[in-house]
Amino acid sequence: MDYLIRFSQSHETFRLPEIEALAVIEGIDMKVVSYSLESPFCIVSLPSSAAAKQLIQRSILAMSVHELWGSGGDLSTVHSHVRETTSHLWERYMTCSFKFSIDSYQGSRTADEKVSIINSFAYLGFAGPIRMRGADEEFTLFEDWEWNSTPLGIPDPKYYYFGRYLGSGARDLPKKLDLKKRRYISTTSMDAELALVTANLALAAPGKIMYDPFVGTGSFPIACAQFGAVAFGSDIDGRSIRGDEKNRTLKGNFEQYGLLGRLGGMFTADLTNSPIRRVPLRYDGDGVTGRLFDGIVCDPPYGVREGLRVLGVRDPEKCPWVIPKGKEMYKDPDFIPPRKPYSFLAMLDSILQFSAETLVDHGRLSFWMPTANDENQEIPVPTHPYLEIVSICTQSFNKWSRRLITYRRIPDVEVDPRAMKAREERISIGKTADELNPFRKAYFSKFEA
Amino acid sequence: MKVLTLNFLTCAVKTCKASSDSFPLHPKDAELASDDVELNPQLLVNLLPRIDWNALRTTSTELGFPQLPEQPPTAEELQADEKMLKDLHTLLMETQLMEGKLVCGHCGHEYAVREGIANFLLPSHLV
Ligand SMILES: C[S@@+](CC[C@H](N)C(=O)[O-])C[C@H]1O[C@@H](n2cnc3c(N)ncnc32)[C@H](O)[C@@H]1O
């Protein structure tokens, strides 16, 4: 049967990838019948109403799902559609309490118009009590209006959908995890709504192990834990995990939301010198042995302000004392190891390689990156022979935009060894090295000037 | 950090990775804490193929927990064995390493653990 998903009209490019990810998590066979970025109404085909409810229960961007009883470009088409396809269902709703409403997108109706539209459905013959609150069944007529329809004096919507309400998404979760009410945040904490969407795209779920190698204040692990996963994280800056002197800590955030049991472990580490155990990539692995994570979620740093640094000395010749001093001092608990700037593209490459090595088969990597650099040069979507791109979502701001890119770890046997060979050659001749990184060049030349 | 974390962590020094002595890291002066966590059998079953069983046996003994059997249970055995589920849950999910050090058996490097957070940053001569 067909079902209508009522999306919120925001984060448009994230909506379908989120629902598709949820279909994977719930193991539901879903076909998209109609969808457009310009409309909040999406029609999907699903095996049952129970599946429809289950599909959207943890969606952040879908508001509700409805059994689709009819649709059309005008009301009389909707009515004949409803009569043809659902008359055998009507008697089920003959005596229950019910509610009828109209959901007009980009348009409006006067109270009188509403009454007369609702009355045009009288042939359904529902005789139960009408309840505006807590009705047993809710029926909604959705109207898709042209943009700006009221000032333009457009009399009717472009399209109508009529459906029976089945269930809602998890629109309450972004409120629960709202940064404004979170005990401990920083300027780069990820907004709760998008952190939850990211966790959905990475298929976080009970029994799964998730990891954020740039954990900061923990927004992604918190979102993953909220969906039942056990979450790990690390950051090169131990203070971000440990928090401030007022005892605002990453762990405290988990405590605030009652998620402490799902906090796996947090540690201080540089992704390019990671202590996470790994085995070299191969072509005949069993899909899980030697690999640890079901999902990797992160918002890597991409510039000086975000603190993109790795361990090491930038120019050992210029500062020859740094290494001997480190040798002498490193056992001191207050010793801070030197860091050097690093190329953003090389960091992306490190993330992909790390993910290929540590994700189980079909495990997912979801990470954020800016679409273009400071010079407005588009940054290409990074690729890796062991990772297949699942979706690319874009969030636009006034002057810039960023993407959430999601990959799936493909089984070893599906990997093209030639692509792997080409990659190794490219790396050995230094294609990911700094001089070929326009983004970093532009960024650092400004700061170093 | 949960004891499970120790099964994921090896020495961060690149030249140690090839040595089997660099994993697992050995807890030293360990202070443990214990949390009440709801048992999730599905999680433990999912974890089973990812866990390095020999390393877990070492860690378990070093932290003063009873010796684990030589061979890991199969997924079916684990699901059917309530005591094994409970024991693994207590060790991996409920026990936390709060303070102490994690020592590499190959290079001897000691990683400090404070307030449950291990520090794997390396000085420049080791990166
Ligand atoms: C954009 S912030 C992530 C914020 C995080 N998502 C949150 O919600 O708080 C990027 C983080 O990466 C960390 N970082 C920078 N370089 C790193 C490296 N080489 N390895 C690991 N973490 C690094 C920074 O300390 C910073 O906390």
Side-chain angles (χ1 to χ4, degrees):
Chain A
M1 182 164 185
D2 283 357
Y3 295 86
L4 175 127
I5 297 174
R6 169 61 157 109
F7 281 116
S8 71
Q9 193 59 24
S10 65
H11 300 312
E12 290 88 340
T13 61
F14 294 71
R15 300 182 305 187
L16 206 51
E18 192 202 36
I19 284 291
E20 282 168 342
L22 294 176
V24 174
I25 293 173
E26 305 292 346
I28 293 170
D29 182 23
M30 175 182 85
K31 276 180 209 63
V32 179
V33 178
S34 76
Y35 175 76
S36 136
L37 291 176
E38 282 75 49
S39 164
F41 308 116
C42 168
I43 309 298
V44 292
S45 156
L46 295 167
S48 68
S49 298
K53 250 174 112 152
Q54 194 188 346
L55 175 71
I56 83 147
Q57 69 195 356
R58 47 177 275 191
S59 169
I60 303 305
L61 301 174
M63 304 201 296
S64 53
V65 67
H66 309 255
E67 210 172 64
L68 185 64
W69 281 30
S71 61
D74 53 53
L75 267 180
S76 65
T77 313
V78 176
H79 289 313
S80 54
H81 205 161
V82 170
R83 283 201 168 92
E84 271 161 41
T85 57
T86 66
S87 51
H88 63 291
L89 298 175
W90 300 352
E91 72 167 87
R92 283 192 208 164
Y93 308 106
M94 220 46 101
T95 54
C96 63
S97 64
F98 71 98
K99 173 185 171 178
F100 246 88
S101 56
I102 299 181
D103 176 350
S104 304
Y105 173 66
Q106 298 186 148
S108 62
R109 294 287 195 187
T110 64
D112 285 352
E113 280 173 327
K114 282 187 190 163
V115 170
S116 87
I117 292 172
I118 289 171
N119 283 338
S120 72
F121 285 90
Y123 59 88
L124 292 171
F126 299 162
I130 296 173
R131 284 225 177 95
M132 294 321 281
R133 254 164 218 274
D136 292 331
E137 298 289 341
E138 284 182 48
F139 294 85
T140 311
L141 179 71
F142 298 92
E143 298 186 334
D144 194 0
W145 291 74
E146 213 71 69
W147 189 72
N148 223 8
S149 57
T150 316
L152 292 175
I154 295 169
D156 293 299
K158 294 185 281 192
Y159 213 77
Y160 298 86
Y161 306 90
F162 180 68
R164 182 175 74 91
Y165 171 84
L166 294 171
S168 295
R171 303 280 298 163
D172 53 319
L173 286 185
K175 278 193 213 103
K176 174 180 172 191
L177 303 186
D178 191 353
L179 292 184
K180 287 196 207 88
K181 287 174 269 163
R182 188 174 303 171
R183 237 182 258 159
Y184 168 57
I185 58 168
S186 79
T187 50
T188 58
S189 296
M190 179 62 64
D191 142 80
E193 183 177 32
L194 290 172
L196 286 158
V197 172
T198 309
N200 270 339
L201 285 179
L203 314 180
K208 292 203 187 183
I209 303 286
M210 312 293 285
Y211 176 54
D212 180 349
F214 304 95
V215 74
T217 59
S219 310
F220 293 119
I222 288 166
C224 292
Q226 179 62 47
F227 288 132
V230 175
F232 292 80
S234 58
D235 199 288
I236 197 169
D237 184 359
R239 290 166 306 177
S240 74
I241 302 170
R242 207 162 271 128
D244 60 17
E245 52 305 317
K246 292 206 186 105
N247 213 17
R248 289 181 288 223
T249 66
L250 194 160
K251 190 175 174 187
N253 286 343
F254 272 77
E255 210 167 4
Q256 176 180 355
Y257 301 126
L259 298 171
L260 259 189
R262 301 188 192 137
L263 173 57
M266 296 290 158
F267 50 93
T268 310
D270 168 13
L271 179 76
T272 67
N273 287 279
S274 172
I276 294 285
R277 119 170 108 86
R278 272 158 295 165
V279 288
L281 289 172
R282 46 197 282 179
Y283 297 109
D284 60 353
D286 65 8
V288 51
T289 306
R291 299 193 238 148
L292 303 176
F293 304 122
D294 295 284
I296 295 177
V297 275
C298 60
D299 181 18
Y302 39 82
V304 168
R305 198 171 60 88
E306 290 79 13
L308 172 49
R309 286 276 196 277
V310 297
L311 294 175
V313 194
R314 182 195 294 179
D315 202 343
E317 263 122 65
K318 266 198 203 151
C319 340
W321 60 87
V322 173
I323 291 182
K325 187 163 172 263
K327 269 191 194 165
E328 198 182 300
M329 298 289 295
Y330 75 91
K331 291 198 172 143
D332 186 324
D334 295 322
F335 174 73
I336 298 170
R339 289 147 210 224
K340 61 179 183 188
Y342 194 60
S343 134
F344 176 61
L345 294 192
M347 182 61 95
L348 291 178
D349 202 68
S350 306
I351 297 170
L352 266 58
Q353 178 70 18
F354 178 89
S355 303
E357 289 168 347
T358 57
L359 285 172
V360 301
D361 276 5
H362 312 295
R364 286 188 175 192
L365 160 67
S366 285
F367 77 92
W368 289 83
M369 63 174 264
T371 310
N373 64 19
D374 284 12
E375 318 260 278
N376 244 331
Q377 292 160 305
E378 173 147 343
I379 309 171
V381 172
T383 59
H384 192 287
Y386 281 76
L387 300 170
E388 173 193 85
I389 294 173
V390 176
S391 61
I392 302 176
C393 311
T394 310
Q395 182 189 25
S396 298
F397 300 94
N398 267 339
K399 292 203 173 110
W400 68 297
S401 57
R402 59 178 175 177
R403 294 185 176 126
L404 173 60
I405 310 175
T406 302
Y407 303 81
R408 175 177 72 97
R409 169 61 157 93
I410 58 175
D412 289 359
V413 291
E414 290 173 24
V415 175
D416 178 359
R418 282 165 310 174
M420 209 43 208
K421 213 163 162 265
R423 174 190 155 81
E424 276 151 17
E425 276 162 22
R426 185 171 52 84
I427 289 176
S428 70
I429 55 171
K431 276 242 169 154
T432 51
D434 291 5
E435 59 280 10
L436 281 163
N437 179 353
F439 182 71
R440 177 190 175 250
K441 230 176 166 178
Y443 215 109
F444 282 103
S445 53
K446 270 183 204 146
F447 280 86
E448 279 163 8
Chain B
M1 61 207 277
K2 293 193 194 297
V3 168
L4 171 60
T5 322
L6 295 193
N7 204 261
F8 292 174
L9 296 172
T10 169
C11 184
V13 177
K14 285 196 174 100
T15 50
C16 280
K17 301 269 186 210
S19 163
S20 57
D21 293 337
S22 66
F23 177 74
L25 299 170
H26 306 287
K28 188 176 149 189
D29 308 330
E31 280 174 37
L32 301 181
S34 174
D35 283 349
D36 266 338
V37 179
E38 202 188 329
L39 188 140
N40 180 349
Q42 184 200 352
L43 171 74
L44 294 167
V45 170
N46 286 353
L47 274 174
L48 203 52
R50 305 175 205 197
I51 286 189
D52 185 313
W53 190 258
N54 282 332
L56 185 63
R57 292 185 73 218
T58 307
T59 305
S60 166
T61 317
E62 287 177 352
L63 291 176
F65 281 78
Q67 174 99 61
L68 290 171
E70 232 162 87
Q71 292 300 320
T74 64
E76 295 75 41
E77 283 165 0
L78 180 59
Q79 262 159 328
D81 187 343
E82 225 162 276
K83 175 161 187 313
M84 181 63 120
L85 278 172
K86 181 85 200 26
D87 287 350
L88 282 179
H89 173 72
T90 304
L91 174 64
L92 295 171
M93 303 303 294
E94 294 196 312
T95 309
Q96 306 257 2
L97 175 60
M98 297 307 292
E99 301 287 331
K101 295 192 173 80
L102 292 170
V103 186
C104 172
H106 185 246
C107 72
H109 194 84
E110 299 189 342
Y111 298 97
V113 182
R114 286 189 295 147
E115 297 161 44
I117 301 164
N119 182 353
F120 287 95
L121 298 186
L122 296 169
S124 304
H125 67 285
L126 295 178
V127 299

